[in-house]
């Protein structure tokens, strides 16, 4: 592996340039006006694999294309499937960026750009690792397949469809799935993530009178959709942080004592966490620690509210409509469909007379954990130790990667979540960054991963 390690360190500059190129493409999947740029990012990723001599395919969908590539089969060795995403979240609020989101800029050893860590930078570590194998050894020690999608940030609707097609399972057949789209525990503590929360995302639209009204002439006599919205939303969670949707906790997988003590043994400092976020206190479900709340308990958050007068100064108006986007993070065993049905009944009962309700179900995905007693986990731990100089800690995380549980259903292979990011990388926020040192450590870990995995008997 010395030759490979040397190759990786002497190609740092070149690998950084490649990442910068990809980061310049504003591949914002949620916004239809960026369709060509999303396609451009797909083409860019595909071209990487074409250059490596992989068998490649740009798979069109009803939305954004899938990039598929595979190296040559190696008999008697396991097959890995790397999943990642080339799409990014919108960059706004734009005026809070120190350097523009699509002009990658280095400050203090960090590369700043939308998508730097989520997920272009992390995804590219695996591309650069296979490239390093090909350019030093001429080949990989095992077959590696890549499926890089452009709709992760919108819930992977078309990849879900693709997985249902009869030949998808055959094409993607593998022994292990590898994803780098999570985080290290903290600086200097690389991690293997063995669980993610799921999500159920909704939009609630309340409509009252046929148009906005004078709140003096009509206020107090006509139901106000904004008043109704705040009342209905605040009924969803109580002061102890317990979600009030009937049956919400019925299937929740409880935290074991063992897991609780493992979480509390991690070096987590509430003070510096609060400092990092600029808050004077933490909040959440009573009876649980911050890590438990973030990783293994459900939560409810309003993601956006729209209603009434938003302009400068005051306007006495009774708005005719109010809407909110909100989501629940789910833990293993909770059923998003059952929760959606129960929520609908609850909101219909809460909705006052004189107001009509529309509840849109947006994306949803279950939470999951993966077993830790597997040779694949052991191999990943060894590889990370090579790449980062420390053995990984085992954590869960609170975010969601909707496709993972669908992979598990279709492909019957365990998932390795190997995150190279940091929790202060500002994902989905202004000034997203990725540490360049972690980018290179990720490449090195990935290069070692193919070696370690190739030694597992299949
Ligand atoms: N990379 C994240 C998922 C993630 C975030 C994992 C934090 C672990 C910790 C992914 O790109 C993401 O943002 N997922 C969305 C999914 C949603 C749009 C369906 C999320 O979690 O909000
Ligand atoms: Mn991501
Ligand atoms: Mn994301």
């Amino acid at each position: 592996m010395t030759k490979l390690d040397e190759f990786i360190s002497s190609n740092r500059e070149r690998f950084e340039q490649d990442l910068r190129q990809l980061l310049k493409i504003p591949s914002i999947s949620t916004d239809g006006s960026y369709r060509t740029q999303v396609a451009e990012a797909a083409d860019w990723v595909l071209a990487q694999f074409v250059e490596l001599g992989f068998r490649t395919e740009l798979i069109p969908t009803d939305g954004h294309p899938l990039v598929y590539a595979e190296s040559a089969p190696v008999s008697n060795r396991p097959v890995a499937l790397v999943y990642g995403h080339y799409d990014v979240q919108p960059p706004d609020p734009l005026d809070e960026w120190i350097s523009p989101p699509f002009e990658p800029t280095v400050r203090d050893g960090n590369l700043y750009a939308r998508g730097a860590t989520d997920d272009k930078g992390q995804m590219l570590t695996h591309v650069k690792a296979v490239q390093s194998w090909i350019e030093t050894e001429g080949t990989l020690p095992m077959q590696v397949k890549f499926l890089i999608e452009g709709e992760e940030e919108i819930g992977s609707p078309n990849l879900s469809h693709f997985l249902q097609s009869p030949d998808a399972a055959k094409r993607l057949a593998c022994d292990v799935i590898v994803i780098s789209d999570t985080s290290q525990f903290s600086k200097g503590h690389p991690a293997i993530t063995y669980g993610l929360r799921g999500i159920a995302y909704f939009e609630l639209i309340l409509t009252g009178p046929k148009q906005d009204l004078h709140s003096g002439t009509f206020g107090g006599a006509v139901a106000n959709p904004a008043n109704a919205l705040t009342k209905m939303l605040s009924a969803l969670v109580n002061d102890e942080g317990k979600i009030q949707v009937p049956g919400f906790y019925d299937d929740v997988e409880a935290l074991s004592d063992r897991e609780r003590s493992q979480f509390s043994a991690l070096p987590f400092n509430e003070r510096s966490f609060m400092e990092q976020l600029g808050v004077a206190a933490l909040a959440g479900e009573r009876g649980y620690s911050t890590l438990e709340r973030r990783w293994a308990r459900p939560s409810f958050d309003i993601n956006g509210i729209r209603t009434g007068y938003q302009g400068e100064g005051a306007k006495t108006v009774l708005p005719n409509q109010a809407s909110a986007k909100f989501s629940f993070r789910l833990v293993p065993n909770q059923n998003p469909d059952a929760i959606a049905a129960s929520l609908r009944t609850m909101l219909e009962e809460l909705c006052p007379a004189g107001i009509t309700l529309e509840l849109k179900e947006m994306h949803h995905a279950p939470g999951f954990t993966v077993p830790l007693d597997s040779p694949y986990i052991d191999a990943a731990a060894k590889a990370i130790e090579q790449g980062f100089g420390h053995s990984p800690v085992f954590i869960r995380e609170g975010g969601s990667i909707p496709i993972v549980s669908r992979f598990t259903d279709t492909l019957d292979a365990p998932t390795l979540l190997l995150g190279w990011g940091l929790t202060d990388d500002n994902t989905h926020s202004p000034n997203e960054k990725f540490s360049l040192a972690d980018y290179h450590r990720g490449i090195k870990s990935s290069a070692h991963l193919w070696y370690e995995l190739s030694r597992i008997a299949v």
Side-chain angles (χ1 to χ4, degrees):
M1 301 294 284
T2 337
K3 201 162 116 199
L4 200 58
D5 290 340
E6 277 166 12
F7 180 88
I8 291 169
S9 50
S10 56
N11 279 272
R12 290 171 72 103
E13 186 63 30
R14 183 180 159 214
F15 291 164
E16 289 175 17
Q17 286 311 324
D18 290 339
L19 175 55
R20 283 160 173 275
Q21 277 185 17
L22 179 58
L23 289 171
K24 283 184 190 158
I25 309 171
S27 47
I28 306 164
S29 52
T30 197
D31 185 339
S33 59
Y34 287 89
R35 180 162 278 279
T36 30
Q37 289 91 333
V38 178
E40 195 190 326
D43 292 339
W44 189 94
V45 174
L46 191 85
Q48 293 280 304
F49 296 114
V50 172
E51 240 169 75
L52 295 177
F54 281 30
R55 197 179 74 72
T56 60
E57 222 176 311
L58 190 69
I59 305 172
T61 72
D62 288 344
H64 302 303
L66 297 165
V67 175
Y68 179 74
E70 60 179 35
S71 64
V74 181
S75 51
N76 302 319
R77 303 289 163 199
V79 176
L81 174 68
V82 175
Y83 163 82
H85 61 98
Y86 65 79
D87 66 321
V88 300
Q89 287 272 335
D92 50 279
L94 270 177
D95 56 358
E96 289 184 31
W97 284 79
I98 294 165
S99 49
F102 298 105
E103 290 175 27
T105 306
V106 179
R107 291 190 294 277
D108 294 334
N110 295 309
L111 186 55
Y112 285 82
R114 171 56 88 232
T117 189
D118 184 12
D119 177 42
K120 288 172 173 173
Q122 296 205 60
M123 176 272 286
L124 209 60
T125 60
H126 297 297
V127 181
K128 298 298 130 188
V130 296
Q131 180 178 350
S132 301
W133 270 92
I134 303 280
E135 291 188 16
T136 53
E137 306 294 326
T139 181
L140 277 155
M142 61 186 284
Q143 187 179 33
V144 184
K145 301 175 173 182
F146 283 83
L147 181 65
I148 313 298
E149 73 152 316
E151 298 187 339
E152 195 279 340
E153 298 291 10
I154 53 173
S156 305
N158 288 296
L159 176 51
S160 301
H161 291 157
F162 173 74
L163 281 183
Q164 281 155 18
S165 69
D167 71 314
K170 217 187 294 165
R171 204 166 351 175
L172 303 180
C174 60
D175 299 286
V176 61
I177 299 163
V178 176
I179 304 175
S180 292
D181 194 19
T182 51
S183 296
Q184 304 176 55
F185 176 65
S186 60
K187 241 191 188 70
H189 289 98
I192 293 179
T193 297
Y194 66 92
L196 290 178
R197 290 196 290 185
I199 189 167
Y201 200 112
F202 301 91
E203 182 173 18
L204 174 64
I205 304 159
L206 300 182
T207 310
K210 66 182 182 197
Q211 62 188 45
D212 286 2
L213 302 174
H214 191 297
S215 68
T217 315
F218 301 100
V222 176
N224 178 327
N227 293 22
L229 184 72
T230 55
K231 198 168 164 204
M232 289 165 75
L233 291 175
S234 51
L236 293 177
V237 60
N238 74 7
D239 291 344
E240 295 193 348
K242 280 269 187 289
I243 291 152
Q244 300 296 298
V245 177
F248 187 87
Y249 291 94
D250 285 2
D251 302 321
V252 163
E253 194 176 280
L255 265 155
S256 67
D257 289 342
R258 171 135 179 258
E259 218 175 2
R260 295 189 89 165
S261 59
Q262 280 163 352
F263 285 10
S264 67
L266 289 167
F268 179 72
N269 183 312
E270 297 221 334
R271 285 267 140 234
S272 42
F273 183 68
M274 279 157 54
E275 243 160 64
Q276 176 198 325
L277 304 180
V279 296
L282 294 172
E285 188 183 6
R286 184 182 285 181
Y288 292 92
S289 72
T290 297
L291 289 184
E292 290 166 356
R293 288 168 175 171
R294 290 168 59 209
W295 294 352
R297 294 296 299 171
S299 58
F300 163 73
D301 278 288
I302 298 169
N303 304 110
I305 292 187
R306 180 152 59 178
T307 188
Y309 181 63
Q310 311 272 346
E312 201 182 313
K315 182 185 183 206
T316 46
V317 64
L318 191 164
N320 90 304
Q321 202 169 64
S323 65
K325 295 184 181 183
F326 60 90
S327 53
F328 301 93
R329 293 289 167 169
L330 308 176
V331 299
N333 216 37
Q334 282 187 293
N335 177 347
D337 291 314
I339 285 165
S342 177
L343 173 75
R344 184 178 295 280
T345 310
M346 177 182 179
L347 291 175
E348 279 165 358
E349 280 166 10
L350 286 171
C351 188
I355 289 183
T356 57
L357 164 163
E358 187 190 353
L359 182 67
K360 288 189 190 164
E361 287 175 36
M362 297 167 87
H363 42 68
H364 56 211
F368 66 90
T369 53
V370 294
L372 284 175
D373 56 342
S374 111
Y376 299 105
I377 295 272
D378 299 341
K382 277 189 203 142
I384 288 173
E385 203 171 332
Q386 297 294 320
F388 283 79
H390 297 281
S391 51
V393 292
F394 294 91
I395 64 171
R396 288 167 70 166
E397 286 187 78
S400 311
I401 306 179
I403 209 65
V404 177
S405 51
R406 286 166 209 152
F407 277 151
T408 318
D409 298 341
T410 320
L411 301 177
D412 186 33
T415 300
L416 295 173
L417 297 169
L418 313 177
W420 320 135
L422 291 170
T423 46
D424 69 355
D425 274 345
N426 300 323
T427 54
H428 299 198
S429 306
N431 304 309
E432 179 177 347
K433 65 171 172 66
F434 189 28
S435 150
L436 285 169
D438 288 335
Y439 177 56
H440 298 296
R441 290 180 188 120
I443 295 170
K444 192 170 170 190
S445 302
S446 173
H448 281 260
L449 181 67
W450 310 130
Y451 172 73
E452 297 294 342
L453 289 175
S454 74
R455 298 171 34 155
I456 296 172
V458 285

